[in-house]
Amino acid sequence: MALIDLQNISKHYSAQKILTEVNFHVDEGERIVIIGKNGSGKSTLMKIVNGTLEYDGGDRIIKRNLEVKMLDQRPNFKDGHTVREAVEDGLKELNDAKKKYNELSLKLADDFENKQLLDEHENLSKYIDHHNAWNLDDKVQRIIEHFDLKQYEDKPIDLLSGGEQRRVALASLLLQKPDVLLLDEPTNHLDVYMVEFLEELILKEKFTLVFISHDRYFIDKIATKSIEVEDCALREYSGGYSNYLTQKAEWIRTLQKQHDNLLGVLKRENEWFARGVRARLKRNEGRKERLMQLREDAKNNPAKIRKMSIELQREAKHFNRDKSINKQKMLFEVENLGLTLGSKELLKNFTTRILQKDVIAIVGPNGSGKSTLLKALLGRIEPTHGTIKRGEFKIGYFDQHREMLDDDKNLMETFCPHGGDRVSVRRKDMHVYGYLKNFLFPREFLEKKIGVLSGGEKNRIALALLFTLDVDILILDEPTNDLDIPTINILEEQLTNFAGAVIIVSHDRYFVDKIAKKLFIFKSNKEIEESYQDYSEYLELEKELQELDSMENDAKQINDTKDSHKRDKNKTIKLTYNEKILLEELPKEIEELEKKIEEKNSCLANPACYEEIGLTQLAKELEKLESLYEQKVEQLLNIEEKAESILN
């Protein structure tokens, strides 16, 4: 039986149909991604699965006592709670279960045949096992650190930003580990390192999961099944995003010509994804094999580990050659740039040139200074150190707050402020509706006020407006936030066709891999590293180098311990004077004894010899020699072993 089973579910808002007699089920261990355009019904389906939204027809069948929990876009917390209290708020039942389990364990020590206590003890054990809650305090500490919440641990939750509050809510839900976890855009407001931690945690703890995401690498790594919401219906695909692309393209090939445009997008996307994955796999295959071999045969050998580390660093440098064309127009010349925000140093010693056809992604952890660097390039803040020289050019800027939009204007007024119904897009004259249709807006939106649109719709409008500007460079701060995958595909196509320079800040690894030709990477030492490799390739190399550093440190500690033991032995174990003499003399004595034994054995084989000495006498002499030989050999072996232990 499925954990949750939706049968013939229908849902509409006023006259607008969202879902029509759809079927959907969740089995234990499945990780299901819901894919579709904004407004197609993804969140509606998620809320019906959660049981928090009424539907117009059909049945929702749920397994008895099933625990279903959902990450809200705007989480609610108890008044006055600190960040740590908010994270731990949902763990009372688990902590109570552990306390009760310990109490029963003590009782069973005196009454181990009590069946009622045994049954209750076993049920509690299964409950704690299911939620993987035996080391709950350690898990709380680990998740607070990985989600970068340690610095806010004792801070009131209501003083945090919306993104930080979402991280707190996500941390709490992951620790609770409900039977079915529902996540709506869980990677929003997470940097790539937090996303990697989230991926590892979900896979390791075997969550049953239903989620919505535009992060295509995250989908591909996590999802076991993809459900697309389209035209009020659901279509199921096995696996993650790459499987979805292949299966969707195959399905569209069977449809009419009206789907050719979508097929083209999917085909290009699928070809790029497959090409990128194959290239990464080919590059990584040999390196991974060497890394795994190192784990087996070089754990105690820092020299071999360091050699592998140097190889990886050399491989990274291979991508970092200056590929710029000097004849290109210079837009920015940055010299020894330093940036400080309040008392926090964000950047130091950064020198670079940005040219007219550069496509650059600025990447790094949350709070490292990426958006601050954009503002410095835009001239909105002054450098703390160094200089930024700007050429003569026009900038188009997209920020997370959509400052270019006026909530009181409708779409026609926004795109045609001087009247009319035409816009110029890369010197091509287009009707407003014809242009906005490319950004998935129906005709009825033209008269809507910006203020009534959703966050995702506002982002689409801001991006559409950006590409109507006559500019030399586009600067975009987190452009994929709140966008669905079809819109991100449109954004990627527009950026690919843009003739000028592009600078983006983004945590979306897939988007960065596909668009950027160069990376500015914020490092922990407050400096920026420039690289020409794929971002996902860089992250993988970085992870492997960290693993090698860890292995090298472990090996060094082992060797240091061994050296310490050797020094201690040398201090306490020494050969005596007599042992040193015996070490020199015993081999000679043993050699002489071997010759005498050989002579006696030869005599025993010769009747003339043993008859002269006497057989009995000869046997006694041989026995005495052999006994003395064994004593000398044993004595020598003991002294040699002692000497060897001192040397080692």
Side-chain angles (χ1 to χ4, degrees):
M1 175 187 169
L3 300 181
I4 301 174
D5 197 6
L6 305 184
Q7 298 178 356
N8 300 316
I9 294 290
S10 295
K11 177 66 181 176
H12 70 273
Y13 295 103
S14 300
Q16 185 182 3
K17 291 182 179 180
I18 304 297
L19 300 171
T20 303
E21 295 186 351
V22 301
N23 296 307
F24 178 88
H25 65 272
V26 182
D27 291 331
E28 187 172 357
E30 283 191 311
R31 298 184 297 274
I32 303 170
V33 62
I34 302 174
I35 295 173
K37 299 176 186 176
N38 283 344
S40 62
K42 300 190 300 293
S43 295
T44 297
L45 177 61
M46 181 85 89
K47 290 172 184 174
I48 293 173
V49 172
N50 191 37
T52 52
L53 182 66
E54 293 294 326
Y55 41 92
D56 303 316
D59 297 298
R60 177 179 180 266
I61 303 167
I62 183 169
K63 185 179 177 182
R64 187 178 178 184
N65 297 325
L66 191 75
E67 186 181 41
V68 183
K69 293 194 175 180
M70 180 172 174
L71 175 67
D72 292 321
Q73 289 285 3
R74 295 179 180 81
N76 294 313
F77 301 97
K78 291 180 181 176
D79 291 339
H81 263 191
T82 65
V83 166
R84 189 175 187 95
E85 287 169 340
V87 169
E88 295 178 339
D89 185 48
L91 305 180
K92 185 178 185 304
E93 286 184 25
L94 290 172
N95 283 319
D96 288 348
K98 286 177 65 180
K99 184 179 178 183
K100 183 68 174 175
Y101 177 86
N102 292 332
E103 291 172 356
L104 289 177
S105 297
L106 292 173
K107 289 181 181 179
L108 283 169
D110 299 323
D111 190 9
F112 59 87
E113 292 184 353
N114 187 318
K115 189 175 186 309
Q116 183 179 346
L117 289 181
L118 283 168
D119 289 345
E120 190 176 356
H121 190 264
E122 185 181 358
N123 289 335
L124 283 169
S125 178
K126 288 178 179 176
Y127 175 74
I128 298 168
D129 270 340
H130 175 73
H131 291 85
N132 196 14
W134 294 106
N135 299 312
L136 210 48
D137 290 340
D138 291 342
K139 286 179 68 177
V140 169
Q141 194 63 29
R142 186 163 168 258
I143 206 164
I144 282 176
E145 288 174 357
H146 277 281
F147 279 171
D148 195 26
L149 298 170
K150 185 69 178 173
Q151 57 187 314
Y152 310 120
E153 196 171 9
D154 300 317
K155 192 174 180 180
I157 189 73
D158 55 2
L159 296 182
L160 267 62
S161 69
E164 290 162 348
Q165 289 187 3
R166 287 237 328 154
R167 297 210 303 269
V168 172
L170 177 58
S172 180
L173 279 178
L174 291 168
L175 288 164
Q176 294 170 49
K177 198 190 174 190
D179 297 322
V180 179
L181 179 60
L182 310 178
L183 300 177
D184 191 351
E185 294 291 358
T187 63
N188 273 5
H189 311 291
L190 301 185
D191 63 32
V192 291
Y193 303 103
M194 296 175 190
V195 173
E196 285 184 342
F197 169 73
L198 176 61
E199 290 170 348
E200 290 169 6
L201 186 65
I202 287 171
L203 295 174
K204 181 182 176 183
E205 305 244 344
K206 296 180 172 61
F207 277 84
T208 299
L209 180 69
V210 181
F211 67 103
I212 298 168
S213 180
H214 68 263
D215 187 327
R216 290 157 286 183
Y217 280 151
F218 180 76
I219 294 171
D220 215 45
K221 187 160 187 179
I222 296 300
T224 58
K225 184 165 74 177
S226 302
I227 299 293
E228 185 175 33
V229 186
E230 188 176 40
D231 297 330
C232 305
L234 305 185
R235 185 171 295 276
E236 180 178 320
Y237 304 92
S238 62
Y241 185 66
S242 55
N243 281 15
Y244 158 75
L245 286 173
T246 304
Q247 295 169 42
K248 173 82 172 181
E250 196 64 39
W251 175 68
I252 292 177
R253 286 190 187 98
T254 66
L255 300 181
Q256 299 173 353
K257 292 290 184 182
Q258 65 192 46
H259 295 285
D260 283 352
N261 289 336
L262 181 55
L263 178 57
V265 170
L266 284 164
K267 185 179 179 182
R268 288 194 300 275
E269 181 82 341
N270 191 35
E271 287 173 352
W272 181 88
F273 187 90
R275 185 171 63 251
V277 169
R278 280 199 298 273
R280 280 188 293 280
L281 286 175
K282 188 175 180 181
R283 285 197 297 271
N284 295 340
E285 196 173 274
R287 192 174 68 237
K288 280 287 187 186
E289 188 176 332
R290 295 197 303 276
L291 185 63
M292 292 304 105
Q293 185 62 38
L294 268 177
R295 292 187 185 283
E296 297 302 319
D297 64 13
K299 289 178 182 175
N300 299 331
N301 192 334
K304 284 188 179 180
I305 297 169
R306 177 49 51 191
K307 181 182 177 185
M308 178 64 177
S309 180
I310 290 169
E311 286 180 15
L312 288 180
Q313 288 169 352
R314 189 181 297 122
E315 186 173 343
K317 287 177 183 175
H318 165 75
F319 291 96
N320 297 342
R321 301 187 303 269
D322 185 3
K323 300 181 182 180
S324 61
I325 301 171
N326 292 328
K327 292 180 180 178
Q328 288 182 23
K329 176 183 176 183
M330 193 275 291
L331 302 180
F332 296 97
E333 189 166 6
V334 180
E335 184 72 33
N336 199 30
L337 181 64
L339 295 172
T340 301
L341 198 60
S343 60
K344 184 180 179 182
E345 184 182 39
L346 299 174
L347 178 63
K348 63 183 181 181
N349 306 326
F350 181 46
T351 298
T352 193
R353 298 171 74 233
I354 299 173
L355 306 177
Q356 67 184 113
K357 291 188 178 179
D358 279 343
V359 181
I360 300 167
I362 303 174
V363 296
N366 280 349
S368 56
K370 302 183 297 296
S371 296
T372 305
L373 175 58
L374 287 190
K375 289 174 183 173
L377 293 174
L378 289 164
R380 299 189 176 194
I381 61 171
E382 289 299 317
T384 313
H385 303 288
T387 59
I388 301 175
K389 295 179 182 176
R390 299 175 183 84
E392 293 295 323
F393 55 87
K394 291 179 284 185
I395 297 175
Y397 176 54
F398 172 91
D399 75 321
Q400 299 178 56
H401 306 293
R402 299 177 286 265
E403 62 180 40
M404 62 200 304
L405 300 182
D406 184 343
D407 283 352
D408 294 327
K409 292 183 178 178
N410 62 29
L411 269 63
M412 286 296 294
E413 293 168 330
T414 299
F415 284 86
C416 305
H418 306 297
D421 57 8
R422 313 291 293 183
V423 291
S424 177
V425 183
R426 291 193 291 273
R427 296 182 176 81
K428 181 181 177 182
D429 186 60
M430 299 182 70
H431 189 277
V432 173
Y433 170 61
Y435 175 58
L436 288 180
K437 188 167 63 173
N438 295 328
F439 287 83
L440 310 179
F441 283 104
R443 186 181 291 274
E444 57 267 24
F445 268 67
L446 293 179
E447 300 302 324
K448 279 192 175 185
K449 298 281 188 185
I450 299 291
V452 304
L453 301 180
S454 69
E457 289 165 344
K458 285 182 179 180
N459 267 11
R460 278 153 59 199
I461 287 297
L463 288 168
L465 186 60
L466 188 69
F467 290 110
T468 65
L469 304 178
D470 182 18
V471 295
D472 302 292
I473 180 170
L474 295 173
I475 297 180
L476 302 94
D477 193 356
E478 292 289 0
T480 64
N481 274 2
D482 298 316
L483 295 184
D484 53 26
I485 291 175
T487 309
I488 295 175
N489 278 320
I490 293 167
L491 170 61
E492 289 165 350
E493 190 170 359
Q494 293 285 340
L495 289 174
T496 301
N497 293 330
F498 180 68
V502 176
I503 302 176
I504 55 175
V505 167
S506 181
H507 294 302
D508 188 327
R509 298 159 293 176
Y510 190 106
F511 176 70
V512 171
D513 277 356
K514 197 171 179 184
I515 295 301
K517 297 175 183 175
K518 183 177 182 180
L519 303 177
F520 286 171
I521 305 158
F522 272 79
K523 307 293 288 183
S524 58
N525 62 358
K526 316 300 181 188
E527 295 185 355
I528 284 179
E529 175 184 341
E530 295 188 38
S531 174
Y532 287 89
Q533 66 198 120
D534 286 346
Y535 189 30
S536 56
E537 174 79 5
Y538 168 82
L539 290 169
E540 190 159 352
L541 274 171
E542 181 185 51
K543 194 172 184 179
E544 289 173 11
L545 285 167
Q546 288 170 351
E547 289 175 356
L548 287 169
D549 284 342
S550 177
M551 288 169 65
E552 184 180 21
N553 289 334
D554 291 345
K556 188 175 182 300
Q557 287 178 9
I558 291 169
N559 287 339
D560 286 347
T561 303
K562 284 182 177 179
D563 290 342
S564 176
H565 287 164
K566 289 175 189 175
R567 288 191 295 271
D568 291 343
K569 281 183 179 180
N570 286 333
K571 289 177 185 176
T572 57
I573 303 174
K574 291 183 179 180
L575 289 180
T576 65
Y577 176 76
N578 286 337
E579 285 172 334
K580 290 177 182 177
I581 297 297
L582 287 170
L583 195 60
E584 292 182 10
E585 298 297 329
L586 279 173
K588 299 174 186 175
E589 293 179 21
I590 290 169
E591 189 176 352
E592 287 297 322
L593 286 169
E594 286 173 343
K595 288 178 181 178
K596 290 179 181 180
I597 290 169
E598 188 177 353
E599 288 173 1
K600 297 299 181 186
N601 281 321
S602 297
C603 188
L604 278 173
N606 185 352
C609 182
Y610 66 70
E611 286 176 359
E612 183 181 342
I613 300 173
L615 194 58
T616 303
Q617 180 64 28
L618 185 60
K620 285 182 180 179
E621 290 177 3
L622 180 60
E623 184 179 356
K624 186 185 281 188
L625 285 170
E626 286 178 339
S627 176
L628 183 60
Y629 175 81
E630 288 177 3
Q631 289 174 24
K632 296 289 185 183
V633 169
E634 182 71 22
Q635 191 177 13
L636 178 61
L637 288 173
N638 287 335
I639 296 171
E640 284 181 339
E641 187 176 347
K642 186 176 179 181
E644 187 177 352
S645 69
I646 293 170
L647 291 171
N648 293 334

